[in-house]
Amino acid sequence: MTIEAMLDAFTAAFTAVENSTGVKMSIENFLLGLVLLHVGIAMLAYCAASGSFKSTIRGLFRRGSSLDGDAAQASDVVRYLVTNCEAGNPEQIMQSVEEYRCEQKARLMDVGHAKGQVLDKALLDCNPGVVLEMGGFFGYSAVRMARLLKKPGAKVYSMEYNPECAKTMLTLIEHSKLQDRIQVIVGAASDSIGRFQDLTGATKVDFVLIDHDKPLYVPDLKALEAAGLLHKGTVIVADNILYPGCPEYFAYMADNILYPGCPEYFAYMADNPRYTTAMHPVRLRGKRSDPSLPGQFDAVAVSVYNGK
């Protein structure tokens, strides 16, 4: 194509855009729009080719409207709990969360009653003094664990990325009368792990609950290892292994898992004798907690750190 032909084609396209939209624009702005369009197409093509398309799109939207939605839902749940539960009664709070789930047909990002029983047993068997939670949401798991702590001075340190959710957690914690057993750490776990000793005064962690963004399970577990926060016998509980699923974490535990369930989660533990892991499959009550709908399975992984 000759330069003259290219100029004619460009002029025709420019005129067509003006005629179809009724918007007058300069040729410079029209060119800039074309450049940005082509850059955007190139970026999407790169993401798709590199296999990162899903995570890229997720990253673009997760920290925006999704976080706002998480905070709004957390606030709604806690408002219901504060209204309907006696102050200082964590057992009633646990039960009322299930009532809210059914009444509202709500799909909450909490561990829930069925998987909570696995969590309870693991925590009681461990009898920890220092508990770390990654992913606090509205405070359900933090309250659930804190209510079972037996050691004097034992404490749950809950890391929550969303500052609005963290504020809501504090409301529930205060209503539960467990302020002396729970400390909320606001910010990404990846940022807080390296400062954990400064933030808490604790040098080691006895019990870990991983229940935040699924792609962060493995990186943040590795960060705990690198920071030297795990000791021989530390118990790590990971939620949502089958639903919605955490393939990387599943893989990391692979060769040491006693119950084979989710192949991707197996992968992280392959060739890793530092952990012994048991899978606990749980049948959920139903989609969106509607008992009339077929239930689906999830699994909780309970791992013991065997040391370096």
Side-chain angles (χ1 to χ4, degrees):
M1 179 181 287
T2 65
I3 293 178
E4 290 79 6
M6 291 176 63
L7 288 173
D8 289 343
F10 171 77
T11 302
F14 178 72
T15 303
V17 170
E18 280 199 331
N19 291 339
S20 63
T21 63
V23 176
K24 297 297 182 182
M25 67 184 79
S26 67
I27 290 180
E28 290 83 356
N29 286 341
F30 182 71
L31 280 171
L32 178 60
L34 285 177
V35 170
L36 293 175
L37 176 63
H38 281 82
V39 168
I41 292 172
M43 289 178 64
L44 291 175
Y46 170 78
C47 292
S50 65
S52 63
F53 180 80
K54 183 177 180 180
S55 60
T56 300
I57 297 301
R58 186 177 186 274
L60 289 173
F61 292 100
R62 168 65 181 165
R63 299 308 175 200
S65 60
S66 180
L67 281 185
D68 293 339
D70 293 348
Q73 187 185 55
S75 179
D76 288 345
V77 179
V78 170
R79 188 181 303 111
Y80 175 93
L81 297 175
V82 170
T83 301
N84 292 281
C85 297
E86 177 187 4
N89 190 340
E91 297 299 334
Q92 185 184 21
I93 288 172
M94 299 296 102
Q95 179 59 38
S96 294
V97 170
E98 299 309 312
E99 293 170 1
Y100 177 90
R101 198 190 313 275
C102 291
E103 289 175 11
Q104 303 296 322
K105 294 183 170 55
R107 190 172 183 175
L108 303 178
M109 296 189 301
D110 64 311
V111 71
H113 175 69
K115 292 182 291 180
Q117 291 179 307
V118 177
L119 176 64
D120 289 354
K121 185 178 187 309
L123 187 134
L124 289 170
D125 288 347
C126 177
N127 191 24
V130 178
V131 178
L132 170 61
E133 175 185 36
M134 292 188 281
F137 190 30
F138 67 88
Y140 176 92
S141 296
V143 169
R144 186 171 193 114
M145 292 187 291
R147 85 195 206 284
L148 297 177
L149 295 178
K150 305 297 182 185
K151 285 185 176 179
K155 202 161 190 175
V156 174
Y157 299 96
S158 181
M159 296 178 178
E160 172 52 46
Y161 179 86
N162 188 329
E164 294 305 315
C165 285
K167 290 179 184 177
T168 300
M169 286 182 67
L170 293 174
T171 300
L172 183 64
I173 292 165
E174 182 178 352
H175 191 71
S176 304
K177 305 299 182 184
L178 292 171
Q179 302 96 313
D180 60 330
R181 297 190 190 181
I182 304 172
Q183 177 179 329
V184 178
I185 300 173
V186 184
S190 57
D191 296 331
S192 302
I193 287 171
R195 302 184 296 121
F196 187 75
Q197 184 172 351
D198 293 335
L199 293 169
T200 67
T203 58
K204 297 289 182 181
V205 176
D206 304 314
F207 190 93
V208 182
L209 172 61
I210 306 178
D211 194 15
H212 57 341
D213 278 2
K214 310 316 159 192
L216 300 180
Y217 276 32
V218 172
D220 287 343
L221 177 58
K222 288 182 176 180
L224 289 174
E225 296 169 357
L229 290 173
L230 306 182
H231 62 79
K232 187 174 182 179
T234 295
V235 174
I236 301 105
V237 175
D239 189 20
N240 301 128
I241 299 307
L242 294 181
Y243 180 80
C246 181
E248 299 88 352
Y249 189 68
F250 200 66
Y252 187 59
M253 299 284 182
D255 284 355
N256 299 290
I257 292 183
L258 306 179
Y259 181 91
C262 181
E264 297 87 357
Y265 174 48
F266 266 0
Y268 184 59
M269 285 296 177
D271 303 321
N272 191 343
R274 290 176 294 174
Y275 295 92
T276 300
T277 300
M279 295 292 293
H280 298 268
V282 177
R283 185 178 181 87
L284 305 180
R285 183 160 45 189
K287 294 180 181 179
R288 298 186 182 275
S289 300
D290 184 344
S292 67
L293 296 175
Q296 53 197 155
F297 280 96
D298 194 4
V300 178
V302 180
S303 307
V304 178
Y305 185 63
N306 298 321
K308 296 181 179 179

